[in-house]
């Protein structure tokens, strides 16, 4: 394993904010969308981190494999999900012995060094007819556009303090996100979004009710290009 990359992941896991505050609501809504498309008998979750989505995936009755680069997260996942196969590995070094009907990359591709390479690998791990669900933050989100207008960000896809804390390496827009899947040789079956996010997480957590958060999650599905989060459902062209 790459010691430098593993150390990078461990540093992030020591002070992780992946599931902090309203982020949990976003992850759970992502599951709400992804579960519409699951099929077959097994599932691979790439980069489950604290396991917020994993907790919901575990209710589906699918054979579950989790691949995670942080030893700290792997230890926690193994204790919480004893029926799952937990693999401590970088994606670049993961070599599964089976193929998967479903592969989930929830907030993964903004972290990795080469998203096209990771998607290409995931495509090779799909069973015939299998599909990949990937979701990432959207550079064109309303709150990022507003931040540029206010001079708080130099560009919509610039890394802000939260991005840097999370270990993000990039912020995708709808075009660059779809392009990564296409360059990996995958067929895009569906593009969408969720969470219409006009202001920052801190403002939402201070002032919004759960009903407001849910309503704006739904609104994001209606206007994906400017939603806070975007997703792609993809498969191999020959499937």
């Amino acid at each position: 394993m790459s010691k430098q990359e593993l150390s990078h992941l461990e540093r992030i896991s020591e002070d992780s904010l992946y599931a902090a505050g309203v982020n949990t609501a976003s992850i759970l809504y992502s599951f709400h969308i992804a579960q519409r498309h699951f099929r077959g008998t097994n599932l691979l979750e790439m980069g489950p981190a604290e396991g917020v989505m994993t907790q919901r995936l575990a209710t589906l009755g699918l054979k579950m494999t989790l691949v995670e680069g942080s030893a700290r997260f792997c230890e926690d996942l193994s204790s919480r999900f004893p029926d799952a196969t937990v693999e401590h590995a970088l994606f670049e070094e993961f070599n599964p012995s089976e193929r998967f009907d479903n592969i989930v990359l929830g907030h993964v591709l903004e972290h990795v060094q080469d998203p096209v390479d990771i998607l290409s690998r995931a495509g090779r791990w799909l069973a015939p007819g299998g599909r990949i669900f990937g979701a990432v933050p959207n550079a064109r989100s309303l709150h990022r556009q507003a931040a540029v207008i206010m001079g708080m960000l130099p560009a919509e896809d610039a890394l802000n303090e939260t991005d840097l804390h999370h270990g993000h390496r990039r912020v995708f827009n709808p075009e660059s996100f779809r392009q990564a899947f296409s360059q990996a040789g995958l067929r895009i079956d569906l593009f969408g979004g969720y969470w219409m996010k006009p202001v920052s997480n801190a403002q939402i957590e201070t002032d919004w009710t759960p009903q407001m958060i849910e309503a704006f999650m739904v609104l994001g599905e209606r206007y994906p290009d400017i939603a806070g989060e975007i997703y792609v459902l993809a498969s191999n062209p020959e499937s």
Side-chain angles (χ1 to χ4, degrees):
M1 293 186 185
S2 166
K3 290 183 179 180
Q4 184 177 0
E5 189 67 10
L6 288 172
S7 296
H8 169 74
L9 293 171
E10 289 303 334
R11 284 195 301 272
I12 293 169
S13 70
E14 287 170 5
D15 188 23
S16 173
L17 297 176
Y18 295 149
V22 75
N23 286 338
T24 290
S26 174
I27 295 168
L28 294 179
Y29 199 85
S30 180
F31 168 80
H32 170 70
I33 293 172
Q35 70 172 333
R36 302 169 188 167
H37 308 289
F38 290 141
R39 52 178 61 182
T41 61
N42 68 358
L43 178 146
L44 170 66
E45 186 183 11
M46 299 174 65
E50 290 99 335
V52 176
M53 181 175 281
T54 317
Q55 200 158 356
R56 294 296 176 90
L57 295 172
T59 67
L60 298 175
L62 301 174
K63 182 183 177 185
M64 192 162 62
T65 298
L66 313 174
V67 58
E68 168 60 52
S70 162
R72 179 188 301 270
F73 284 150
C74 282
E75 183 178 356
D76 177 61
L77 292 163
S78 295
S79 66
R80 290 167 56 204
F81 306 103
D83 294 333
T85 299
V86 179
E87 298 281 354
H88 178 215
L90 297 175
F91 304 141
E92 294 87 348
E93 299 173 355
F94 181 54
N95 186 26
S97 59
E98 62 181 316
R99 295 296 174 260
F100 301 97
D101 300 313
N102 311 279
I103 297 179
V104 176
L105 299 100
H107 281 221
V108 164
L109 294 171
E110 67 270 32
H111 290 267
V112 299
Q113 292 179 334
D114 188 341
V116 174
D117 174 65
I118 298 304
L119 286 170
S120 297
R121 293 172 186 272
R124 295 194 293 270
W125 302 335
L126 282 175
R131 293 196 287 196
I132 295 170
F133 177 86
V136 297
N138 182 12
R140 206 162 291 145
S141 173
L142 285 179
H143 80 290
R144 282 185 174 269
Q145 293 192 52
V148 172
I149 292 169
M150 291 187 290
M152 298 171 66
L153 271 182
E156 293 169 3
D157 61 355
L159 296 172
N160 60 30
E161 288 185 13
T162 302
D163 291 316
L164 295 172
H165 184 95
H166 285 323
H168 294 175
R169 289 184 160 109
R170 66 194 58 80
V171 189
F172 290 98
N173 61 39
E175 294 78 27
S176 63
F177 191 45
R178 290 192 293 262
Q179 185 180 45
F181 283 83
S182 298
Q183 289 179 342
L186 295 165
R187 179 181 65 214
I188 296 174
D189 299 318
L190 181 65
F191 167 79
Y194 56 97
W195 195 10
M196 187 64 65
K197 185 181 175 185
V199 294
S200 70
N201 283 15
Q203 291 166 303
I204 291 169
E205 289 160 8
T206 299
D207 298 323
W208 288 28
T209 65
Q211 292 79 10
M212 290 172 67
I213 293 170
E214 176 69 18
F216 278 79
M217 291 288 176
V218 174
L219 279 173
E221 291 207 59
R222 299 182 184 179
Y223 308 100
D225 280 353
I226 56 172
E229 311 282 333
I230 47 178
Y231 68 88
V232 160
L233 186 72
S235 58
N236 284 316
E238 64 272 17
S239 295

